[in-house]
RNA sequence: GCUAGAGCGACGAAGUGGGAGAGUCGUGGCAGACUGUAAAUCUGUUCCCGUUGGGUGAGUAGGUUCGAAUCCUACCUCUGGCA
């Protein structure tokens, strides 16, 4: 199959682990190149989750169009499918305006789904079926999957109940096999994208993460989470985010504030590691190492790369 | 100074008290997987080396023994008690 290169829209993608400085770079590039920012992050979509998700402040956003931020209430859901649909549409619109779409985010799956044009199984989440399946033992679930879709069963570890259930859900509601549907997607780049990755020496990144948690606290993180908690959103999807879920035991008197801080730091460090794993292994990234002492020093180099990319004839 | 107890693996804990185990639990680190919750969920690994195997190993140095984490001696460190 030949995809006509000429019709591919140009997009800039900024990826990297949490706390590395993606937001700052996105703002700088958007200003310089008349870009519009598309949030590629699974938490910043929720209203009211501002400090803990490290959203750009409204001052920072001023004058630069931002998309897919604050588009959900804290008790609503959001997923890759929603994201990809909206992004495809947004890229079309923004490009038609003669602007450059800049996708910024740390959610590997989301970014991947856009870059490689994932085709998702048609079945939407069926919570009744999921609950019913959830009552069974992991072993039984996995055995069922082995009957219906051996390829998936082999790929998914029996302990990974969420993914076993999702695979079963696809088999049971569509009659298709999860493994067939996902492999139907070829690794074909849908857009003419330059993927800029920001990295940092592990130790320094971890220090930055640790101190950023204290910064968030100073900015009023506890009050932000308490408001959401008191509004009854404790069990919502949005509250599973790092920086939020860790407060629940504290509000219930089961742990100390120090415990909360340490948990948030730990979860953030692990998350950063998982982000590295994804971006390094799943997609072609143009990496730039950030020096935490001079975080904007690389921006000029990156900017040149971007200019070259944008200037190139299609 | 005297006395009682305790010292192992990146860290913490429990347990064992002549036939051992680089064993158990937890934490941290490292690595990995990922197609509708993905900041989710899950997996592997973590003394050394030539890694389907081999080596060293229970504070340190000796001793007893066919065999020692275990018993003995000395020393070091920590904790409690007494001065």
């Amino acid at each position: 199959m030949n995809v006509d290169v000429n019709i591919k829209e140009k997009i800039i993608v900024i990826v990297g682990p949490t706390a590395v400085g993606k937001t700052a770079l996105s703002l700088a590039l958007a200003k310089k190149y008349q870009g519009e920012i598309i949030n590629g992050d699974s938490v910043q979509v929720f209203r009211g989750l501002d400090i803990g998700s490290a959203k750009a402040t409204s001052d920072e956003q001023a004058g630069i169009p931002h998309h897919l931020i604050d588009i959900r209430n804290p008790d609503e859901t959001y997923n890759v499918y929603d994201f990809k649909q909206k992004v495809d549409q947004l890229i079309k619109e923004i490009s038609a305006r003669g602007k450059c779409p800049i996708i910024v985010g740390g959610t590997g799956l989301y970014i991947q789904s856009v870059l490689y044009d994932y085709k998702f199984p048609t079945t939407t989440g069926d919570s009744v079926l999921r609950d019913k399946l959830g009552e069974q033992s992991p072993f039984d679930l996995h055995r069922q999957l082995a009957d219906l879709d051996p390829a998936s069963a082999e790929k998914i570890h029996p302990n990974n109940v969420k993914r076993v259930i999702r695979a079963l859900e696809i088999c049971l509601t569509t009659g298709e096999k999860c493994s067939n549907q996902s492999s139907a997607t070829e690794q074909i780049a849908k857009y003419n994208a330059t993927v800029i990755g920001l990295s940092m020496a592990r130790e320094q990144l971890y220090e930055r993460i640790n101190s950023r948690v204290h910064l968030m606290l100073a900015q009023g993180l506890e009050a932000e989470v308490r408001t959401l908690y008191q509004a009854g959103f404790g069990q919502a999807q949005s509250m599973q985010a790092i920086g939020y879920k860790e407060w629940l035991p504290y509000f219930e008197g089961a742990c100390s504030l120090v415990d909360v801080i340490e948990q948030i730091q730990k979860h953030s460090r692990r998350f950063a590691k998982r982000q590295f794993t994804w971006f390094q292994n799943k997609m072609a990234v143009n990496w730039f190492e950030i020096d935490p002492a001079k975080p904007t020093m690389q921006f000029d180099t990156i900017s040149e790369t971007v200019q070259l990319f944008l200037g190139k004839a299609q």
Side-chain angles (χ1 to χ4, degrees):
Chain A
M1 181 172 115
N2 282 320
V3 176
D4 187 354
V5 170
N6 294 320
I7 63 166
K8 285 188 181 178
E9 289 94 344
K10 279 189 179 177
I11 61 171
I12 297 170
V13 179
I14 302 173
V15 300
T18 184
V20 81
K22 297 187 291 295
T23 301
L25 176 64
S26 71
L27 296 171
L29 290 181
K31 272 181 196 155
K32 191 156 181 183
Y33 298 106
Q34 298 269 300
E36 299 195 18
I37 292 175
I38 301 174
N39 164 49
D41 181 294
S42 63
V43 178
Q44 294 189 3
V45 295
F46 293 106
R47 298 185 190 95
L49 282 75
D50 300 332
I51 299 168
S53 72
K55 243 176 239 174
T57 63
S58 48
D59 280 355
E60 289 171 329
Q61 291 187 31
I64 302 164
H66 277 72
H67 305 276
L68 304 189
I69 289 183
D70 293 338
I71 57 161
R72 286 283 193 278
N73 287 327
D75 58 341
E76 294 180 309
T77 62
Y78 187 69
N79 60 46
V80 211
Y81 183 78
D82 298 338
F83 173 77
K84 172 161 162 50
Q85 274 208 322
K86 286 191 194 304
V87 170
D88 282 341
Q89 191 190 335
L90 279 166
I91 290 174
K92 224 176 270 173
E93 290 172 10
I94 296 168
S95 301
R97 264 179 233 139
K99 301 284 190 68
C100 181
I102 303 175
I103 303 178
V104 189
T107 307
L109 175 65
Y110 284 18
I111 308 287
Q112 191 85 347
S113 74
V114 169
L115 290 180
Y116 294 106
D117 201 20
Y118 275 18
K119 305 277 187 259
F120 294 101
T122 49
T123 179
T124 160
D126 180 339
S127 62
V128 179
L129 178 62
R130 282 184 188 177
D131 288 350
K132 217 177 113 193
L133 290 170
E135 290 165 8
Q136 299 180 42
S137 76
F139 180 79
D140 288 341
L141 286 171
H142 196 258
R143 207 172 43 187
Q144 268 187 66
L145 185 61
D147 284 342
L148 295 169
D149 182 358
S152 292
E154 195 163 322
K155 227 172 118 189
I156 304 172
H157 193 279
N159 287 350
N160 203 345
V161 176
K162 266 188 196 187
R163 295 195 48 237
V164 172
I165 287 180
R166 171 62 186 159
L168 276 173
E169 182 180 73
I170 292 164
C171 297
L172 294 171
T173 59
T174 69
E176 291 288 319
K177 288 175 183 173
C178 173
S179 47
N180 286 347
Q181 304 226 8
S182 50
S183 64
T185 308
E186 298 294 323
Q187 293 273 300
I188 295 171
K190 179 167 187 181
Y191 300 104
N192 183 7
T194 184
V195 183
I196 295 161
L198 301 185
S199 70
M200 189 178 286
R202 191 68 56 87
E203 209 169 296
Q204 295 174 325
L205 181 66
Y206 282 4
E207 268 174 38
R208 224 170 124 94
I209 286 171
N210 291 343
S211 58
R212 192 174 71 162
V213 173
H214 287 291
L215 189 69
M216 285 175 172
L217 241 71
Q219 290 169 343
L221 180 62
E222 180 174 349
E224 176 174 297
V225 185
R226 198 182 286 276
T227 302
L228 294 163
Y229 175 72
Q230 287 173 346
F233 298 139
Q235 299 306 312
Q237 178 191 327
S238 61
M239 289 289 281
Q240 288 181 13
I242 295 168
Y244 295 88
K245 61 181 169 190
E246 294 86 357
W247 291 91
L248 267 56
Y250 173 71
F251 292 153
E252 282 151 20
C255 75
S256 71
L257 184 61
V258 174
D259 293 336
V260 175
I261 294 168
E262 284 177 357
Q263 287 295 308
I264 295 175
Q265 290 171 329
K266 178 175 89 184
H267 290 154
S268 301
R269 290 194 301 266
R270 289 181 166 182
F271 174 45
K273 167 60 186 83
R274 270 179 280 130
Q275 289 176 304
F276 271 129
T277 300
W278 187 292
F279 296 129
Q280 282 169 354
N281 300 338
K282 302 273 271 190
M283 50 176 83
V285 176
N286 197 1
W287 288 103
F288 295 88
E289 171 110 9
I290 300 296
D291 178 350
K294 292 166 271 180
T296 56
M297 194 176 70
Q298 283 280 18
F299 284 12
D300 288 342
T301 318
I302 296 170
S303 185
E304 280 168 29
T305 308
V306 168
Q307 186 146 32
L308 215 64
F309 167 75
L310 292 176
K312 249 189 259 171
Q314 290 224 348

